[in-house]
Amino acid sequence: MKLITEVRSATMQVGLHPVANYAHNLSAIVNSLTGFQRVLADYGVEDAQFYGNREDLNPVAARYVSDQVEVRTGMKIHWLNTNQLIADTLSRIMTKLPEFDELSKKTLYVLSMGLNTSTLAYFRHGKFQMSWDIDLGGARLSQLVTTLRQTTTNPSEIILDYISSKLEYLVPELRHVKKSKLLIQNVRTLAQSFVPKGAQLGEVPREDFDKRYQSLITATDQYIMSHYDVNEQSVNWVLPNYLVVDQVVHLLNAKHIYTTNISVLDGVTTAASGGRQLISQMIRTSADNLAQRYGADSKHNAFVADLSVKLFDALQPIHRLPNHARLLLEIASKVDDIGNFINPQAHYRHSAYILEANPLIGLSDRDNHIVAEVARYHSMESPHINGRSNTSLDIDSQIVVGKLAAILRMADSLDDSRQQKIKQVRLRLHDDQLQIIVNADDDLVVEQWAFQKKAQLFKAIYGLEPVLITKEED
């Protein structure tokens, strides 16, 4: 986990839509990567992982870019979406920032600025509580500033109105916040000025921030480049970042402002080297928050999630899925009923498109899609009948969806009455039967009826006949 060397690429051409102008920069990107490959060879590196930030690329464009890069360099890009990058960065802050526990004893918010979007995360007692996506980013706002400068001499007021409109939905969520702390990540000009040499954290006095903010509102590009050590490529992002930070400071009524030089790259290296435990916990917390927002039954969710992972563990020799699939099953079992918020009829379909519209922090696009499809098939429809996932998921993912949905469907049926009657579950394989032996403190008429219907998918997927055997609790 020590930085051995760092190579910076040449200046790239910044685009308008999108900002990450891969089409015009591909030759420069390939040249930079080829140069870096020589560095790897000098160090004798034979096994390297290559990651790409997919924040400003749609999945189709990313596929073309990765294919072109691989053809020209032999390097295969592992794309990370914004939700993964934010989770990686937050986990790095939590584990590698010595002052984090003290900062987050009561209330700490972390604002991570991105190109197109930003994220505000909330921590309390050292633990991740929730996060909000903000439709604001330095590059996107810089495009708006450039456009407005052609029609108005002072675009800042218009930009502030625009920022306020994007933050409006957070006002009800944060109306009770008092005397909070705010940590700003990925605003380089702040980190360069306020983080002491050799440290990762620096406090930004409110008076100093206000003075800098006021000077930037009327500053020219030449002034910003000479005073804040930025080049022509990123000078247009400085003011937009400060405008967003200022609005968030006022929204949170932040009494203490901090900044860090921990970067997204730091987060990626931490996660890639095995630091996934905190990220998994963030994913679980986000799923719980989503379930609560849509009024799901928390006791039923907890029962089904616990039973689902127990079934997954016991069936490991049969399904042969990796441990990551266990996490996806657990997450799906927490959110499979959120569609009831819209309509109990065909709620599983509503659950799926709510999940598609609310990707969870820390999960890849593929993982979010799998969770949504498992939720879709947890009740009535079957993957091989509906056919929707056949056109939107690769074959390996379809198999994962089918296996996880079959397990979740059985677990869900065993609490169909929503009363958590079952106290103990044991599994036994007998010929072509999977015997599920349960101890309960009440009759299971409803559960037995539901089990008969929902167990058919398991038989179709695994080739085993599930049999429910009930025993009364002693």
PDB file of all heavy atoms in Angstrom, residues 312-337:
ATOM      1  N   PHE A 312     -28.293 -19.964   1.691  1.00  0.00           N
ATOM      2  CA  PHE A 312     -27.183 -19.815   0.741  1.00  0.00           C
ATOM      3  C   PHE A 312     -25.961 -20.580   1.237  1.00  0.00           C
ATOM      4  O   PHE A 312     -25.323 -21.314   0.471  1.00  0.00           O
ATOM      5  CB  PHE A 312     -26.853 -18.335   0.574  1.00  0.00           C
ATOM      6  CG  PHE A 312     -25.734 -18.055  -0.400  1.00  0.00           C
ATOM      7  CD1 PHE A 312     -26.018 -17.761  -1.725  1.00  0.00           C
ATOM      8  CD2 PHE A 312     -24.408 -18.068   0.006  1.00  0.00           C
ATOM      9  CE1 PHE A 312     -24.992 -17.505  -2.629  1.00  0.00           C
ATOM     10  CE2 PHE A 312     -23.377 -17.812  -0.890  1.00  0.00           C
ATOM     11  CZ  PHE A 312     -23.679 -17.529  -2.208  1.00  0.00           C
ATOM     12  N   ASP A 313     -25.631 -20.412   2.507  1.00  0.00           N
ATOM     13  CA  ASP A 313     -24.462 -21.080   3.067  1.00  0.00           C
ATOM     14  C   ASP A 313     -24.621 -22.603   3.045  1.00  0.00           C
ATOM     15  O   ASP A 313     -23.678 -23.332   2.698  1.00  0.00           O
ATOM     16  CB  ASP A 313     -24.221 -20.606   4.499  1.00  0.00           C
ATOM     17  CG  ASP A 313     -23.811 -19.145   4.573  1.00  0.00           C
ATOM     18  OD1 ASP A 313     -23.375 -18.588   3.543  1.00  0.00           O
ATOM     19  OD2 ASP A 313     -23.948 -18.541   5.658  1.00  0.00           O
ATOM     20  N   ALA A 314     -25.805 -23.060   3.421  1.00  0.00           N
ATOM     21  CA  ALA A 314     -26.028 -24.507   3.479  1.00  0.00           C
ATOM     22  C   ALA A 314     -26.035 -25.136   2.087  1.00  0.00           C
ATOM     23  O   ALA A 314     -25.661 -26.303   1.924  1.00  0.00           O
ATOM     24  CB  ALA A 314     -27.354 -24.795   4.188  1.00  0.00           C
ATOM     25  N   LEU A 315     -26.440 -24.357   1.085  1.00  0.00           N
ATOM     26  CA  LEU A 315     -26.546 -24.879  -0.283  1.00  0.00           C
ATOM     27  C   LEU A 315     -25.298 -24.615  -1.112  1.00  0.00           C
ATOM     28  O   LEU A 315     -25.312 -24.829  -2.331  1.00  0.00           O
ATOM     29  CB  LEU A 315     -27.762 -24.259  -0.975  1.00  0.00           C
ATOM     30  CG  LEU A 315     -29.131 -24.647  -0.398  1.00  0.00           C
ATOM     31  CD1 LEU A 315     -30.223 -23.762  -0.979  1.00  0.00           C
ATOM     32  CD2 LEU A 315     -29.424 -26.118  -0.672  1.00  0.00           C
ATOM     33  N   GLN A 316     -24.225 -24.165  -0.490  1.00  0.00           N
ATOM     34  CA  GLN A 316     -23.002 -23.811  -1.215  1.00  0.00           C
ATOM     35  C   GLN A 316     -22.520 -24.924  -2.153  1.00  0.00           C
ATOM     36  O   GLN A 316     -22.156 -24.663  -3.308  1.00  0.00           O
ATOM     37  CB  GLN A 316     -21.899 -23.441  -0.223  1.00  0.00           C
ATOM     38  CG  GLN A 316     -20.563 -23.091  -0.857  1.00  0.00           C
ATOM     39  CD  GLN A 316     -20.593 -21.806  -1.654  1.00  0.00           C
ATOM     40  OE1 GLN A 316     -21.033 -20.790  -1.164  1.00  0.00           O
ATOM     41  NE2 GLN A 316     -20.133 -21.856  -2.894  1.00  0.00           N
ATOM     42  N   PRO A 317     -22.506 -26.189  -1.721  1.00  0.00           N
ATOM     43  CA  PRO A 317     -22.032 -27.242  -2.633  1.00  0.00           C
ATOM     44  C   PRO A 317     -22.921 -27.410  -3.864  1.00  0.00           C
ATOM     45  O   PRO A 317     -22.476 -28.001  -4.851  1.00  0.00           O
ATOM     46  CB  PRO A 317     -22.072 -28.504  -1.751  1.00  0.00           C
ATOM     47  CG  PRO A 317     -22.052 -27.998  -0.341  1.00  0.00           C
ATOM     48  CD  PRO A 317     -22.812 -26.715  -0.375  1.00  0.00           C
ATOM     49  N   ILE A 318     -24.174 -26.920  -3.779  1.00  0.00           N
ATOM     50  CA  ILE A 318     -25.105 -27.091  -4.894  1.00  0.00           C
ATOM     51  C   ILE A 318     -25.071 -25.902  -5.846  1.00  0.00           C
ATOM     52  O   ILE A 318     -24.957 -26.059  -7.061  1.00  0.00           O
ATOM     53  CB  ILE A 318     -26.542 -27.307  -4.364  1.00  0.00           C
ATOM     54  CG1 ILE A 318     -26.593 -28.575  -3.516  1.00  0.00           C
ATOM     55  CG2 ILE A 318     -27.536 -27.386  -5.511  1.00  0.00           C
ATOM     56  CD1 ILE A 318     -27.911 -28.789  -2.819  1.00  0.00           C
ATOM     57  N   HIS A 319     -25.168 -24.679  -5.282  1.00  0.00           N
ATOM     58  CA  HIS A 319     -25.210 -23.511  -6.194  1.00  0.00           C
ATOM     59  C   HIS A 319     -23.824 -23.073  -6.656  1.00  0.00           C
ATOM     60  O   HIS A 319     -23.679 -22.502  -7.732  1.00  0.00           O
ATOM     61  CB  HIS A 319     -25.958 -22.341  -5.550  1.00  0.00           C
ATOM     62  CG  HIS A 319     -25.373 -21.823  -4.274  1.00  0.00           C
ATOM     63  ND1 HIS A 319     -24.129 -21.220  -4.200  1.00  0.00           N
ATOM     64  CD2 HIS A 319     -25.872 -21.770  -3.008  1.00  0.00           C
ATOM     65  CE1 HIS A 319     -23.886 -20.831  -2.974  1.00  0.00           C
ATOM     66  NE2 HIS A 319     -24.917 -21.159  -2.217  1.00  0.00           N
ATOM     67  N   ARG A 320     -22.774 -23.317  -5.854  1.00  0.00           N
ATOM     68  CA  ARG A 320     -21.381 -23.029  -6.214  1.00  0.00           C
ATOM     69  C   ARG A 320     -21.165 -21.574  -6.648  1.00  0.00           C
ATOM     70  O   ARG A 320     -20.368 -21.285  -7.535  1.00  0.00           O
ATOM     71  CB  ARG A 320     -20.909 -23.987  -7.308  1.00  0.00           C
ATOM     72  CG  ARG A 320     -20.853 -25.448  -6.861  1.00  0.00           C
ATOM     73  CD  ARG A 320     -20.389 -26.341  -7.965  1.00  0.00           C
ATOM     74  NE  ARG A 320     -21.298 -26.341  -9.101  1.00  0.00           N
ATOM     75  CZ  ARG A 320     -21.061 -26.954 -10.265  1.00  0.00           C
ATOM     76  NH1 ARG A 320     -19.929 -27.618 -10.422  1.00  0.00           N
ATOM     77  NH2 ARG A 320     -21.936 -26.900 -11.233  1.00  0.00           N
ATOM     78  N   LEU A 321     -21.861 -20.669  -6.014  1.00  0.00           N
ATOM     79  CA  LEU A 321     -21.708 -19.245  -6.316  1.00  0.00           C
ATOM     80  C   LEU A 321     -20.638 -18.636  -5.414  1.00  0.00           C
ATOM     81  O   LEU A 321     -20.424 -19.105  -4.291  1.00  0.00           O
ATOM     82  CB  LEU A 321     -23.037 -18.507  -6.104  1.00  0.00           C
ATOM     83  CG  LEU A 321     -24.164 -18.849  -7.082  1.00  0.00           C
ATOM     84  CD1 LEU A 321     -25.459 -18.175  -6.641  1.00  0.00           C
ATOM     85  CD2 LEU A 321     -23.808 -18.432  -8.500  1.00  0.00           C
ATOM     86  N   PRO A 322     -19.963 -17.587  -5.862  1.00  0.00           N
ATOM     87  CA  PRO A 322     -18.944 -16.930  -5.027  1.00  0.00           C
ATOM     88  C   PRO A 322     -19.588 -16.222  -3.847  1.00  0.00           C
ATOM     89  O   PRO A 322     -20.795 -15.953  -3.843  1.00  0.00           O
ATOM     90  CB  PRO A 322     -18.291 -15.929  -5.986  1.00  0.00           C
ATOM     91  CG  PRO A 322     -19.332 -15.658  -7.022  1.00  0.00           C
ATOM     92  CD  PRO A 322     -20.079 -16.950  -7.187  1.00  0.00           C
ATOM     93  N   ASN A 323     -18.776 -15.870  -2.872  1.00  0.00           N
ATOM     94  CA  ASN A 323     -19.293 -15.258  -1.650  1.00  0.00           C
ATOM     95  C   ASN A 323     -19.934 -13.894  -1.907  1.00  0.00           C
ATOM     96  O   ASN A 323     -20.814 -13.459  -1.163  1.00  0.00           O
ATOM     97  CB  ASN A 323     -18.169 -15.116  -0.622  1.00  0.00           C
ATOM     98  CG  ASN A 323     -18.703 -15.029   0.795  1.00  0.00           C
ATOM     99  OD1 ASN A 323     -19.565 -15.824   1.179  1.00  0.00           O
ATOM    100  ND2 ASN A 323     -18.225 -14.080   1.570  1.00  0.00           N
ATOM    101  N   HIS A 324     -19.503 -13.212  -2.975  1.00  0.00           N
ATOM    102  CA  HIS A 324     -20.093 -11.913  -3.296  1.00  0.00           C
ATOM    103  C   HIS A 324     -21.583 -12.057  -3.610  1.00  0.00           C
ATOM    104  O   HIS A 324     -22.377 -11.158  -3.315  1.00  0.00           O
ATOM    105  CB  HIS A 324     -19.362 -11.289  -4.482  1.00  0.00           C
ATOM    106  CG  HIS A 324     -19.868  -9.928  -4.854  1.00  0.00           C
ATOM    107  ND1 HIS A 324     -19.779  -8.837  -4.008  1.00  0.00           N
ATOM    108  CD2 HIS A 324     -20.512  -9.482  -5.970  1.00  0.00           C
ATOM    109  CE1 HIS A 324     -20.306  -7.777  -4.599  1.00  0.00           C
ATOM    110  NE2 HIS A 324     -20.760  -8.145  -5.778  1.00  0.00           N
ATOM    111  N   ALA A 325     -21.965 -13.188  -4.201  1.00  0.00           N
ATOM    112  CA  ALA A 325     -23.376 -13.424  -4.495  1.00  0.00           C
ATOM    113  C   ALA A 325     -24.199 -13.496  -3.214  1.00  0.00           C
ATOM    114  O   ALA A 325     -25.389 -13.158  -3.211  1.00  0.00           O
ATOM    115  CB  ALA A 325     -23.534 -14.708  -5.304  1.00  0.00           C
ATOM    116  N   ARG A 326     -23.582 -13.927  -2.120  1.00  0.00           N
ATOM    117  CA  ARG A 326     -24.256 -13.965  -0.821  1.00  0.00           C
ATOM    118  C   ARG A 326     -24.681 -12.560  -0.399  1.00  0.00           C
ATOM    119  O   ARG A 326     -25.788 -12.349   0.113  1.00  0.00           O
ATOM    120  CB  ARG A 326     -23.325 -14.579   0.217  1.00  0.00           C
ATOM    121  CG  ARG A 326     -23.919 -14.786   1.610  1.00  0.00           C
ATOM    122  CD  ARG A 326     -22.829 -15.366   2.515  1.00  0.00           C
ATOM    123  NE  ARG A 326     -23.350 -15.834   3.781  1.00  0.00           N
ATOM    124  CZ  ARG A 326     -23.473 -15.095   4.880  1.00  0.00           C
ATOM    125  NH1 ARG A 326     -23.111 -13.808   4.844  1.00  0.00           N
ATOM    126  NH2 ARG A 326     -23.939 -15.619   5.993  1.00  0.00           N
ATOM    127  N   LEU A 327     -23.782 -11.592  -0.607  1.00  0.00           N
ATOM    128  CA  LEU A 327     -24.116 -10.209  -0.278  1.00  0.00           C
ATOM    129  C   LEU A 327     -25.262  -9.702  -1.149  1.00  0.00           C
ATOM    130  O   LEU A 327     -26.185  -9.041  -0.655  1.00  0.00           O
ATOM    131  CB  LEU A 327     -22.885  -9.321  -0.472  1.00  0.00           C
ATOM    132  CG  LEU A 327     -23.104  -7.817  -0.298  1.00  0.00           C
ATOM    133  CD1 LEU A 327     -23.529  -7.486   1.134  1.00  0.00           C
ATOM    134  CD2 LEU A 327     -21.836  -7.046  -0.656  1.00  0.00           C
ATOM    135  N   LEU A 328     -25.232 -10.027  -2.440  1.00  0.00           N
ATOM    136  CA  LEU A 328     -26.302  -9.579  -3.335  1.00  0.00           C
ATOM    137  C   LEU A 328     -27.646 -10.181  -2.924  1.00  0.00           C
ATOM    138  O   LEU A 328     -28.684  -9.505  -2.982  1.00  0.00           O
ATOM    139  CB  LEU A 328     -25.968  -9.953  -4.781  1.00  0.00           C
ATOM    140  CG  LEU A 328     -24.683  -9.366  -5.363  1.00  0.00           C
ATOM    141  CD1 LEU A 328     -24.529  -9.752  -6.830  1.00  0.00           C
ATOM    142  CD2 LEU A 328     -24.658  -7.851  -5.208  1.00  0.00           C
ATOM    143  N   LEU A 329     -27.636 -11.442  -2.501  1.00  0.00           N
ATOM    144  CA  LEU A 329     -28.859 -12.084  -2.024  1.00  0.00           C
ATOM    145  C   LEU A 329     -29.374 -11.386  -0.766  1.00  0.00           C
ATOM    146  O   LEU A 329     -30.575 -11.119  -0.631  1.00  0.00           O
ATOM    147  CB  LEU A 329     -28.597 -13.560  -1.741  1.00  0.00           C
ATOM    148  CG  LEU A 329     -29.736 -14.350  -1.093  1.00  0.00           C
ATOM    149  CD1 LEU A 329     -30.966 -14.379  -2.007  1.00  0.00           C
ATOM    150  CD2 LEU A 329     -29.286 -15.767  -0.749  1.00  0.00           C
ATOM    151  N   GLU A 330     -28.470 -11.089   0.147  1.00  0.00           N
ATOM    152  CA  GLU A 330     -28.859 -10.409   1.379  1.00  0.00           C
ATOM    153  C   GLU A 330     -29.478  -9.046   1.071  1.00  0.00           C
ATOM    154  O   GLU A 330     -30.512  -8.671   1.643  1.00  0.00           O
ATOM    155  CB  GLU A 330     -27.633 -10.240   2.277  1.00  0.00           C
ATOM    156  CG  GLU A 330     -27.937  -9.533   3.600  1.00  0.00           C
ATOM    157  CD  GLU A 330     -26.692  -9.282   4.420  1.00  0.00           C
ATOM    158  OE1 GLU A 330     -25.600  -9.745   4.029  1.00  0.00           O
ATOM    159  OE2 GLU A 330     -26.811  -8.594   5.467  1.00  0.00           O
ATOM    160  N   ILE A 331     -28.868  -8.294   0.155  1.00  0.00           N
ATOM    161  CA  ILE A 331     -29.383  -6.973  -0.200  1.00  0.00           C
ATOM    162  C   ILE A 331     -30.753  -7.095  -0.859  1.00  0.00           C
ATOM    163  O   ILE A 331     -31.679  -6.345  -0.534  1.00  0.00           O
ATOM    164  CB  ILE A 331     -28.394  -6.248  -1.134  1.00  0.00           C
ATOM    165  CG1 ILE A 331     -27.049  -6.047  -0.445  1.00  0.00           C
ATOM    166  CG2 ILE A 331     -28.966  -4.923  -1.598  1.00  0.00           C
ATOM    167  CD1 ILE A 331     -27.125  -5.321   0.874  1.00  0.00           C
ATOM    168  N   ALA A 332     -30.888  -8.030  -1.777  1.00  0.00           N
ATOM    169  CA  ALA A 332     -32.173  -8.211  -2.453  1.00  0.00           C
ATOM    170  C   ALA A 332     -33.280  -8.564  -1.463  1.00  0.00           C
ATOM    171  O   ALA A 332     -34.423  -8.112  -1.596  1.00  0.00           O
ATOM    172  CB  ALA A 332     -32.052  -9.304  -3.517  1.00  0.00           C
ATOM    173  N   SER A 333     -32.954  -9.353  -0.435  1.00  0.00           N
ATOM    174  CA  SER A 333     -33.958  -9.754   0.551  1.00  0.00           C
ATOM    175  C   SER A 333     -34.385  -8.587   1.438  1.00  0.00           C
ATOM    176  O   SER A 333     -35.466  -8.619   2.035  1.00  0.00           O
ATOM    177  CB  SER A 333     -33.413 -10.896   1.417  1.00  0.00           C
ATOM    178  OG  SER A 333     -32.319 -10.467   2.198  1.00  0.00           O
ATOM    179  N   LYS A 334     -33.562  -7.552   1.515  1.00  0.00           N
ATOM    180  CA  LYS A 334     -33.917  -6.367   2.303  1.00  0.00           C
ATOM    181  C   LYS A 334     -34.856  -5.430   1.548  1.00  0.00           C
ATOM    182  O   LYS A 334     -35.598  -4.658   2.167  1.00  0.00           O
ATOM    183  CB  LYS A 334     -32.642  -5.591   2.680  1.00  0.00           C
ATOM    184  CG  LYS A 334     -31.738  -6.272   3.702  1.00  0.00           C
ATOM    185  CD  LYS A 334     -30.437  -5.493   3.853  1.00  0.00           C
ATOM    186  CE  LYS A 334     -29.516  -6.090   4.912  1.00  0.00           C
ATOM    187  NZ  LYS A 334     -29.972  -5.793   6.285  1.00  0.00           N
ATOM    188  N   VAL A 335     -34.818  -5.477   0.215  1.00  0.00           N
ATOM    189  CA  VAL A 335     -35.544  -4.472  -0.577  1.00  0.00           C
ATOM    190  C   VAL A 335     -36.558  -5.074  -1.534  1.00  0.00           C
ATOM    191  O   VAL A 335     -37.147  -4.350  -2.336  1.00  0.00           O
ATOM    192  CB  VAL A 335     -34.534  -3.598  -1.370  1.00  0.00           C
ATOM    193  CG1 VAL A 335     -33.666  -2.783  -0.434  1.00  0.00           C
ATOM    194  CG2 VAL A 335     -33.669  -4.455  -2.293  1.00  0.00           C
ATOM    195  N   ASP A 336     -36.794  -6.380  -1.450  1.00  0.00           N
ATOM    196  CA  ASP A 336     -37.658  -7.005  -2.459  1.00  0.00           C
ATOM    197  C   ASP A 336     -39.114  -6.560  -2.382  1.00  0.00           C
ATOM    198  O   ASP A 336     -39.855  -6.673  -3.356  1.00  0.00           O
ATOM    199  CB  ASP A 336     -37.565  -8.533  -2.376  1.00  0.00           C
ATOM    200  CG  ASP A 336     -37.986  -9.076  -1.018  1.00  0.00           C
ATOM    201  OD1 ASP A 336     -38.220  -8.262  -0.093  1.00  0.00           O
ATOM    202  OD2 ASP A 336     -38.076 -10.308  -0.858  1.00  0.00           O
ATOM    203  N   ASP A 337     -39.540  -6.024  -1.231  1.00  0.00           N
ATOM    204  CA  ASP A 337     -40.947  -5.639  -1.067  1.00  0.00           C
ATOM    205  C   ASP A 337     -41.193  -4.136  -1.155  1.00  0.00           C
ATOM    206  O   ASP A 337     -42.302  -3.677  -0.890  1.00  0.00           O
ATOM    207  CB  ASP A 337     -41.474  -6.139   0.291  1.00  0.00           C
ATOM    208  CG  ASP A 337     -41.774  -7.629   0.284  1.00  0.00           C
ATOM    209  OD1 ASP A 337     -41.992  -8.191  -0.811  1.00  0.00           O
ATOM    210  OD2 ASP A 337     -41.785  -8.225   1.374  1.00  0.00           O
TER     211      ASP A 337
END
